[in-house]
Amino acid sequence: MISRSYANLLDLANGNFPAMEEPRRKMFSRTMTVPGVLSELDDDQARSVSSEAPSTVLADRLIVVANQLPIKATRRIDDKGESSWNFCWDENSLYKHIKDGLPEEMEVIYVGSLRADVDPSEQDEVSQILLERFKCVPAFLPAAVLDKYYHGFCKQHLWPLFHYRLPFSATHGGRFDRSLWEAYVAANKIFSQKVIEVINPDDDYVWIHDYHLMVLPTFLRRHFNRLRMGFFLHSPFPSSEIYRTLPVREEILKALLNADLLGFHTFDYARHFLSCCSRMLGLEYQSKRGYIGLEYYGRTIGIKIMPSGIHMGQMESVLRQSDKQSRVRALAQQFEGKTVLLGVDDLDIFKGVNLKVLAMEQMLKSHRSWLGRAVLVQILNPARGKGRQVEEIEAEIRTSSERINQELGSPGYTPIVLVDTPLSLSEKAAYYTISEAAVVTAIRDGMNLTPYEYVVCRQGISGTDISNSPQKSMLVVSEFVGCSPSLSGAIRVNPWNVDATAEAMYEAISTPEVEKQMRHEKHYRYVSSHDVAYWSRSFFQDLERNCADHFRRRCWGIGLSFGFRVVALDPMFRKLTMDAIMDAYGRAQSRAILLDYDGTVMPQSSIDTSPSEEVISIINRLCNDPKNMVFVISGRGKESLGKWFAPCEKLGLAAEHGYFMRWPADKEWETCAQNTNFTWMQMAEPVMRLYTEATDGSYIERKESALVWHHQDADPSFGSAQAKEMLDHLESVLANEPVVVKSGQYIVEVKPQGVTKGLVAEKIFLSMFRNERRADFVLCVGDDRSDEDMFVMIGDAIKAGVILNNKSVFACTVGQKPSKAEYYLDDTVEVINMLENLGDVSDSEEEDDPGSSSS
């Protein structure tokens, strides 16, 4: 029976899901309640566990969550007419073999649904049996939710979209149906409750599988901030141009980013995901020492590229079966004198079966010597989905096959043989064994392990005489299939090009025997070494590495609905609180306040970049306090800063990152760098102009001492690529010039050597020290890389004794990100509020001591 928390599915779909009810644990006596720290956020997040309690379990466990359990469930009726359930492992399930790659002592628990309808009255009993005998926890979905979740959102929206099929019209692909999304969210929440029933968040790892459960990470992360969680997508991930058409695109992306490690079969799929994160969420990835990572609110989400494999032990067991040998003999007799090309595909619109059939026809017409000798055996696995499209593609395949057989067939020869009855792995292995080539022409597919199974079956079992398979094989594989990059000896084809596919099929059966054997050996070495155990071991090791510092960092959840995310920060990196800074500010007698401009007191997104009247007023209030030395240190030009801050006569200014500097109450700018030769601009500007012309949305900003190329309005991927290329180009051109070339947030800048904001900060502190006004309070706020130099300089000044008391030093970055600063504020609004509060303290001091302003 569905929980009360599902009552309003519309709330769920909009992300306004209430706090989950505490799951019932009466069935799972082994489950413990984990003490946790209550969050300071809303009620839903107040149930989030921070996982700081000591572990009470000695060994780690892995909880594998998938849409379906690796269990076969059948009903038995005894002689008395009474029915009972019979359960056994599904040996064909990839998930069942995950444990083969894990440490022997690691316990694996499975959470998923059953491929059987279990009456609500039997669900508790079935759950108990599955947990005790198989360590499986079934998630029972109400029929209405199941149909809309699986056959609805998964199969009508996600599956087609991830295979590049757009919903062009109501009759072609269907329109987005929000009720199906609501059911998808509800189903994911049911799965999350089942995970919560058995989890110990301090010691367990969670591995979620495939597109059915893409929002599950958010539900789990809301409860356990430090949960170690991975996700693997077994289907393709589409390009950003396709994915961005999904109305709930950002909700799904943000949910996936609540995992610690995201796995994809190929680099193409991972690249598409990263491109979506860049274009829709503004996130950029970094590659370091072979690992790809996305920085997301202080957490690094790892990107794993690893195609899955087959279970070698299972395949070898199948090859040893005696009935398999009899099937091989029967098939060899049936196709005696024929060369068999084999296709094994689900009855699915993306498998390209009809294109394969048409290619076979073209091959026989182009190479008529193979008429009567070459046969395409096409095994059609039962469709996983349902609907008119499946019926149409099946009718199309049958119509084409019948037409070709009539035109090109003859007595005793049928060019296209369709096998549409469900076959066991052993029966398929017999077909693999007698086939000269395997042909996969999917127009878009995730992994497709058919070529792997074919290669192993053609290898047979070395050292035995029970298999007479020749150790040679040929593969014709679509370039749109996930296994294609792994099989370097395969003949890759564009399945839409029927003529080219036909020639590839001809090449596969006419290649010399020695070449076939060499290709086979290459494939078998890869397939046998990169099996499912290797895949699961590699993924789990990366998950361990990515989560190594989970319990060292401070974590808390922020955000509502699917905008929820966990902020993870270094223990020494903390938010700047008003109480702490105002207390120190009030006690201080000599204060230094250093402020960046863009991104600190002025939002980066502002079209009008001049300071508001509020900002001018607050800065004037701070400057009028005789205890304060206030500076705005910016990368902007001196003309702009001088004009904007003209009302602030007691404000110090540093322009162009410190190349120019103007002290408070001084009208003249001084040059801080010794080098005043700017002939290098004549070399750098033509290079920048070249990239500007080629990059729509970019422009050059010319300063007196620097050149800056901006690309924030360009295409994110192209702009970033052009910036990297320009950086290399400029470094090469200006190698012998006294300049530095740096990249920043959407910029590439060339400026004189020795010009940094850190040197400006040093001058200010030294000036105060020499004037016997050594700073006993420092506030330094900035938002980008150039401001990091100031944070470093503050530490050096403390060590040198130029700053009096480091307990009253507040180096603060804007935004939660890795920084040399010890404090952060979330945005410019918080910065302005803080400065306003400090201004209030100064105003109150002046009221208490009216004579101080005249001193």
Side-chain angles (χ1 to χ4, degrees), residues 209 243 358:
H209 290 269
Y243 180 79
L358 296 177

Side-chain angles (χ1 to χ4, degrees), residues 567-746:
V567 177
L569 300 174
D570 189 276
M572 297 303 295
F573 188 59
R574 53 200 183 276
K575 187 161 186 174
L576 183 57
T577 62
M578 290 302 102
D579 291 342
I581 192 170
M582 289 177 70
D583 181 58
Y585 185 85
R587 294 195 314 267
Q589 298 301 311
S590 180
R591 312 179 186 115
I593 300 174
L594 313 182
L595 305 172
D596 175 40
Y597 183 68
D598 292 289
T600 301
V601 295
M602 173 59 61
Q604 289 279 11
S605 57
S606 293
I607 297 176
D608 181 6
T609 55
S610 60
S612 64
E613 292 183 3
E614 179 190 18
V615 170
I616 295 293
S617 172
I618 292 171
I619 289 179
N620 264 329
R621 289 164 62 195
L622 293 172
C623 291
N624 288 333
D625 188 328
K627 298 178 182 179
N628 292 347
M629 172 74 77
V630 185
F631 260 84
V632 169
I633 305 173
S634 172
R636 296 244 176 210
K638 65 180 184 179
E639 299 298 330
S640 298
L641 291 179
K643 177 182 176 182
W644 291 341
F645 291 102
C648 305
E649 295 181 357
K650 297 180 181 179
L651 173 68
L653 294 173
E656 300 190 18
H657 298 300
Y659 187 84
F660 297 106
M661 192 170 175
R662 193 180 78 184
W663 293 90
D666 195 345
K667 298 298 182 183
E668 298 300 322
W669 290 87
E670 63 180 59
T671 303
C672 298
Q674 296 179 353
N675 179 31
T676 56
N677 182 4
F678 296 106
T679 55
W680 55 265
M681 284 191 176
Q682 298 171 12
M683 303 166 62
E685 191 167 10
V687 175
M688 286 189 170
R689 196 178 302 119
L690 182 70
Y691 285 87
T692 303
E693 292 171 357
T695 312
D696 190 31
S698 67
Y699 66 92
I700 301 171
E701 179 188 3
R702 186 184 178 104
K703 303 177 182 179
E704 290 188 47
S705 68
L707 288 173
V708 186
W709 186 73
H710 296 262
H711 62 92
Q712 65 263 34
D713 296 327
D715 177 271
S717 297
F718 186 56
S720 178
Q722 289 288 79
K724 291 175 184 177
E725 183 69 24
M726 180 193 287
L727 190 71
D728 291 340
H729 195 161
L730 287 171
E731 285 178 342
S732 175
V733 170
L734 302 172
N736 298 320
E737 299 297 321
V739 297
V740 291
V741 185
K742 285 190 173 182
S743 63
Q745 191 171 19
Y746 301 115

Side-chain angles (χ1 to χ4, degrees), residues 83 128 174 182 318 452 522 526 561 619 661 664 680 682 694 756 771 801 812 824:
S83 64
Q128 193 71 34
E182 295 164 4
V318 167
Y452 287 22
K522 187 176 187 179
Y526 178 84
S561 70
I619 289 179
M661 192 170 175
W680 55 265
Q682 298 171 12
T756 70
N771 292 327
C812 178
Y824 75 90

Side-chain angles (χ1 to χ4, degrees), residues 125-401:
E125 180 185 357
V126 167
S127 296
Q128 193 71 34
I129 293 171
L130 290 176
L131 180 65
E132 292 174 356
R133 288 176 51 191
F134 300 95
K135 295 182 181 176
C136 291
V137 180
F140 298 107
L141 304 181
V145 172
L146 175 63
D147 188 64
K148 287 187 173 184
Y149 149 71
Y150 183 75
H151 295 293
F153 194 75
C154 288
K155 288 300 181 181
Q156 290 182 28
H157 289 312
L158 292 181
W159 179 256
L161 190 77
F162 280 26
H163 289 73
Y164 288 71
R165 185 181 178 93
L166 290 173
F168 290 113
S169 66
T171 56
H172 186 83
R175 296 300 189 200
F176 179 79
D177 186 341
R178 185 156 291 275
S179 69
L180 303 184
W181 163 246
E182 295 164 4
Y184 182 82
V185 174
N188 274 248
K189 189 172 184 183
I190 294 175
F191 278 94
S192 74
Q193 288 184 317
K194 291 301 177 181
V195 173
I196 292 168
E197 287 181 3
V198 293
I199 197 169
N200 181 351
D202 280 352
D203 297 280
D204 294 347
Y205 291 85
V206 176
W207 189 357
I208 303 167
H209 290 269
D210 223 359
Y211 64 97
H212 313 89
L213 302 172
M214 288 197 296
V215 300
L216 179 57
T218 287
F219 284 109
L220 295 179
R221 188 64 73 192
R222 291 177 76 90
H223 278 71
F224 311 112
N225 287 345
R226 291 186 176 89
L227 179 63
R228 296 171 291 187
M229 177 166 44
F231 177 93
F232 197 94
L233 183 67
H234 294 270
S235 79
F237 195 93
S239 72
S240 60
E241 293 302 309
I242 298 293
Y243 180 79
R244 69 199 305 179
T245 63
L246 186 64
V248 289
R249 60 191 190 182
E250 291 188 8
E251 289 89 332
I252 290 176
L253 284 181
K254 290 176 180 178
L256 289 175
L257 291 174
N258 275 314
D260 297 297
L261 181 66
L262 299 174
F264 301 88
H265 283 308
T266 72
F267 175 69
D268 274 351
Y269 303 160
R271 179 168 55 86
H272 293 158
F273 173 79
L274 293 170
S275 176
C276 289
C277 289
S278 173
R279 292 173 178 273
M280 295 166 209
L281 303 179
L283 303 177
E284 297 297 332
Y285 74 91
Q286 291 183 334
S287 182
K288 186 176 181 181
R289 295 183 179 178
Y291 296 104
I292 300 175
L294 271 173
E295 286 293 328
Y296 188 60
Y297 290 93
R299 295 169 53 242
T300 300
I301 294 92
I303 304 297
K304 176 72 172 174
I305 300 166
M306 174 60 69
S308 59
I310 61 174
H311 189 258
M312 290 297 295
Q314 181 194 17
M315 291 302 301
E316 290 175 354
S317 174
V318 167
L319 294 176
R320 287 191 178 94
Q321 293 176 6
S322 57
D323 59 340
K324 183 260 183 183
Q325 298 306 310
S326 62
R327 293 191 186 100
V328 169
R329 288 190 291 270
L331 289 174
Q333 184 176 359
Q334 178 183 348
F335 295 105
E336 185 177 2
K338 305 293 191 301
T339 298
V340 177
L341 295 95
L342 180 67
V344 180
D345 301 279
D346 294 344
L347 191 53
D348 187 289
I349 59 176
F350 300 110
K351 299 301 182 182
V353 176
N354 196 52
L355 293 173
K356 187 190 308 180
V357 170
L358 296 177
M360 182 66 181
E361 177 189 22
Q362 183 62 32
M363 193 274 285
L364 293 175
K365 288 181 177 179
S366 300
H367 304 278
R368 301 193 73 85
S369 61
W370 285 98
L371 267 175
R373 297 165 54 204
V375 176
L376 173 65
V377 176
Q378 178 61 53
I379 297 174
L380 293 174
N381 297 324
R384 298 185 186 183
K386 61 182 181 180
R388 180 172 53 84
Q389 293 176 340
V390 174
E391 296 171 359
E392 288 176 354
I393 199 68
E394 181 180 11
E396 185 180 351
I397 293 168
R398 294 188 182 282
T399 301
S400 297
S401 300

Side-chain angles (χ1 to χ4, degrees), residues 442-566:
I443 58 176
R444 190 69 62 176
D445 208 353
M447 187 59 198
N448 199 317
L449 296 174
T450 294
Y452 287 22
E453 294 174 350
Y454 168 71
V455 167
V456 173
C457 289
R458 293 289 285 182
Q459 175 72 15
I461 303 175
S462 60
T464 67
D465 57 359
I466 64 172
S467 176
N468 297 318
S469 300
Q471 294 181 344
K472 58 186 175 116
S473 61
M474 288 296 291
L475 293 170
V476 178
V477 178
S478 165
E479 61 190 53
F480 303 115
V481 174
C483 65
S484 175
S486 307
L487 301 170
S488 56
I491 304 171
R492 296 191 181 96
V493 297
N494 173 5
W496 297 101
N497 188 336
V498 173
D499 291 341
T501 305
E503 288 304 308
M505 294 168 77
Y506 168 73
E507 181 184 349
I509 57 178
S510 59
T511 295
E513 298 297 302
V514 175
E515 176 74 10
K516 291 179 181 178
Q517 186 174 351
M518 291 175 62
R519 292 185 185 233
H520 169 81
E521 289 174 355
K522 187 176 187 179
H523 289 154
Y524 183 75
R525 279 197 304 271
Y526 178 84
V527 172
S528 59
S529 60
H530 291 71
D531 60 355
V532 65
Y534 178 88
W535 168 72
S536 65
R537 184 186 312 115
S538 179
F539 186 91
F540 183 74
Q541 287 173 349
D542 275 20
L543 181 59
E544 277 189 312
R545 178 186 56 80
N546 224 57
C547 300
D549 65 347
H550 265 33
F551 297 96
R552 183 186 67 82
R553 311 188 79 182
R554 296 184 303 113
C555 302
W556 64 90
I558 62 173
L560 299 172
S561 70
F562 286 108
F564 177 85
R565 64 271 188 197
V566 166

